[in-house]
Amino acid sequence: MIKHLKPVIDKSLQRNYSAGSIILYQGEAPRSGYVLADGVVKVYSISNEGDEQIVMFLVAGDVFPISWLFNKSPAVMFFYEAFTYCRVAVVPPEELKQALMETPEKMASLIDYFAKNYTASQVRINALQQPKARDKLVYMLYYLCRLYGENESPSERIVIPIALTHQNFASLVGLTRETTAIEMNTLKKQKVISYRQQMYYVNLKKLLEIIGEDSFSNIKV
């Protein structure tokens, strides 16, 4: 979708955020919509116990906050934090919505964007519903592969282009870091995953063998 938004990004006010900087606070009523031009944004909430609960990541081309932009929430539902260095275009909401919907081609792209994220969210919900820690992580890896993964040609591996720690995975699925580390090390020994400098490489064939659900094998997001 970013190709349709490039003219808007180029002419809009742009802000740079260093990693760890808050872009939007939970409960904030923003005045503008945002388009992520470069970098990765972490979307999360804080539990009553003070634990971080990661909802999702945003990558280049993503628009936020969607719920506020399309009048489904009067304020920002989560924290939006720069996970890496980020460059963000700040766009008046009506201008941004017009840019997303002004032609049939752009409308089709927007529908595809929502369908992609809806499908990925179903996979994520399924991951959270799994009773066992291993299964939570297996389905979460599949979610990350399908939503963000890139094929590592000519290898069959999928690389997740977001530098993730065991704590990040724990926050994604609601496990402790220690449990997550144990299960991830088991998956590494089984050659389902490998990682280097916090970049994860997933053998999708082995991962799907563990999942064992044919309905998941050809998901397109």
Side-chain angles (χ1 to χ4, degrees):
M1 191 166 68
I2 194 168
K3 67 177 182 178
H4 296 306
L5 293 174
K6 191 174 186 308
V8 173
I9 293 172
D10 290 343
K11 73 176 184 178
S12 298
L13 170 68
Q14 297 188 17
R15 294 176 181 165
N16 297 320
Y17 295 88
S18 58
S21 300
I22 301 295
I23 301 172
L24 289 169
Y25 287 88
Q26 187 176 39
E28 178 180 349
R31 297 180 179 178
S32 301
Y34 296 79
V35 182
L36 183 56
D38 288 305
V40 178
V41 170
K42 178 176 66 175
V43 184
Y44 66 97
S45 62
I46 302 294
S47 71
N48 291 334
E49 292 74 31
D51 297 322
E52 180 181 281
Q53 300 169 322
I54 297 177
V55 176
M56 65 185 302
F57 293 98
L58 303 178
V59 294
D62 279 329
V63 176
F64 65 99
I66 288 289
S67 58
W68 172 82
L69 186 64
F70 286 91
N71 303 313
K72 300 303 179 185
S73 172
V76 177
M77 295 174 63
F78 306 106
F79 292 96
Y80 290 76
E81 178 184 307
F83 193 63
T84 65
Y85 159 81
C86 291
R87 179 168 60 90
V88 178
V90 183
V91 189
E94 293 308 317
E95 182 181 335
L96 181 51
K97 285 192 284 188
Q98 181 181 1
L100 290 167
M101 300 185 290
E102 62 187 350
T103 67
E105 182 185 9
K106 291 182 178 181
M107 181 66 78
S109 179
L110 181 63
I111 292 172
D112 182 72
Y113 177 77
F114 283 137
K116 164 186 169 180
N117 282 280
Y118 174 77
T119 303
S121 294
Q122 288 182 307
V123 177
R124 172 165 166 68
I125 291 168
N126 186 65
L128 295 173
Q129 290 179 328
Q130 298 303 311
K132 296 180 180 179
R134 176 176 178 269
D135 292 336
K136 287 180 184 289
L137 289 166
V138 165
Y139 277 98
M140 188 58 66
L141 282 165
Y142 187 68
Y143 159 80
L144 293 169
C145 283
R146 284 311 194 199
L147 189 56
Y148 309 110
E150 300 172 356
N151 288 310
E152 191 188 31
S153 181
S155 169
E156 294 182 353
R157 296 189 307 177
I158 302 290
V159 58
I160 301 170
I162 303 173
L164 298 170
T165 65
H166 285 161
Q167 183 59 59
N168 294 145
F169 274 101
S171 297
L172 277 164
V173 295
L175 297 172
T176 65
R177 186 192 62 77
E178 292 76 15
T179 298
T180 300
I182 291 169
E183 297 297 340
M184 295 297 274
N185 285 331
T186 299
L187 291 171
K188 183 180 179 182
K189 290 176 182 177
Q190 295 173 339
K191 300 189 184 304
V192 177
I193 62 171
S194 59
Y195 42 89
R196 184 171 62 251
Q197 295 179 333
Q198 297 179 349
M199 299 293 282
Y200 281 76
Y201 301 82
V202 181
N203 185 315
L204 192 57
K205 182 179 179 180
K206 286 182 178 292
L207 189 69
L208 285 168
E209 287 174 356
I210 294 174
I211 290 173
E213 291 283 352
D214 291 340
S215 58
F216 279 79
S217 60
N218 294 311
I219 289 176
K220 296 178 181 179
V221 295

